[in-house]
Amino acid sequence: LPRSAIAFSRAFIGTIVILPAFLLKSKSFKLDAMKKNLLPLLLSGIALGFNWMFLFEAYNYTSVQVATLCYYMAPVFVIIVSPLFLKEKLTPVSIICTIGAVLGAVLISGVFGGGNVSMTGITLGLIAAMLYASIIILNKKISDISGIERTFFQLLISAVVMFIYVIITEDVSLFSLDANQGFLLVILG
């Protein structure tokens, strides 16, 4: 399947799986809180779908190790932009630790040792990490909504956005799944 279809499937399956918990936990739905947080919820849901798509595409161009390592740079991006978006101060210790984390990631990535390292894969992995970092930042801006409600709506928005993206960019008539592929897709979801 195309990476966008995998990202859609993951969001769709996640939405269905979390729906019962959402319905059980959200006895009193707060419409005012939803309206107040609509923009960060929309943006984080969109970022979630594209985050997965870029990560899965990175796996297509480089090793899982390198793509995942790039993806795990998201906390570094959060630390870097937190003074701007979260009004948090960077301390000398956090700067040194961030530099150390980046250097460590570069050293263990295999970038300098050859292997299955592609700048395209690295770039896609880093874009996925930036999108993940944006989700973290946006989640800190969302208030008065429980974690289960936030997760449900982010997955739902992600599924809708990725569905539209798949319909626009892919020839869905060519999609076919055998039982094994369907099973693996459900496990991934």
Side-chain angles (χ1 to χ4, degrees):
L1 285 175
R3 306 304 174 235
S4 57
I6 294 171
F8 160 71
S9 299
R10 188 170 176 173
F12 179 73
I13 292 166
T15 302
I16 291 171
V17 168
I18 205 166
L19 179 62
F22 169 72
L23 293 173
L24 287 173
K25 289 283 233 177
S26 301
K27 293 188 170 89
S28 62
F29 185 69
K30 303 173 208 146
L31 191 58
D32 290 339
M34 289 298 298
K35 286 180 185 176
K36 182 176 99 175
N37 294 290
L38 187 59
L39 184 61
L41 275 173
L42 282 172
L43 292 175
S44 61
I46 292 166
L48 182 62
F50 284 102
N51 151 51
W52 287 335
M53 189 182 73
F54 279 105
L55 178 61
F56 297 144
E57 199 61 42
Y59 293 149
N60 200 37
Y61 284 94
T62 191
S63 68
V64 171
Q65 169 192 347
V66 171
T68 303
L69 196 57
C70 291
Y71 185 62
Y72 286 163
M73 295 301 290
V76 171
F77 295 138
V78 172
I79 290 169
I80 291 169
V81 300
S82 62
L84 180 64
F85 292 107
L86 301 176
K87 307 298 183 230
E88 294 178 0
K89 293 190 185 244
L90 281 178
T91 65
V93 171
S94 66
I95 293 169
I96 290 169
C97 290
T98 302
I99 292 169
V102 171
L103 289 175
V106 169
L107 291 174
I108 65 171
S109 70
V111 171
F112 298 116
N116 186 15
V117 178
S118 149
M119 285 312 294
T120 301
I122 289 170
T123 302
L124 292 168
L126 289 173
I127 291 170
M130 287 181 215
L131 287 165
Y132 187 40
S134 72
I135 295 166
I136 294 168
I137 299 287
L138 288 164
N139 275 339
K140 291 191 175 272
K141 300 284 186 185
I142 297 172
S143 61
D144 301 325
I145 295 178
S146 72
I148 193 85
E149 290 173 326
R150 180 183 321 135
T151 303
F152 174 76
F153 284 109
Q154 287 170 332
L155 284 169
L156 179 64
I157 292 163
S158 176
V160 169
V161 168
M162 293 314 299
F163 178 76
I164 294 167
Y165 183 82
V166 168
I167 294 298
I168 291 171
T169 62
E170 304 293 340
D171 184 359
V172 293
S173 66
L174 299 177
F175 291 2
S176 66
L177 284 177
D178 62 28
N180 186 48
Q181 291 169 325
F183 174 73
L184 291 174
L185 197 58
V186 168
I187 298 265
L188 179 65

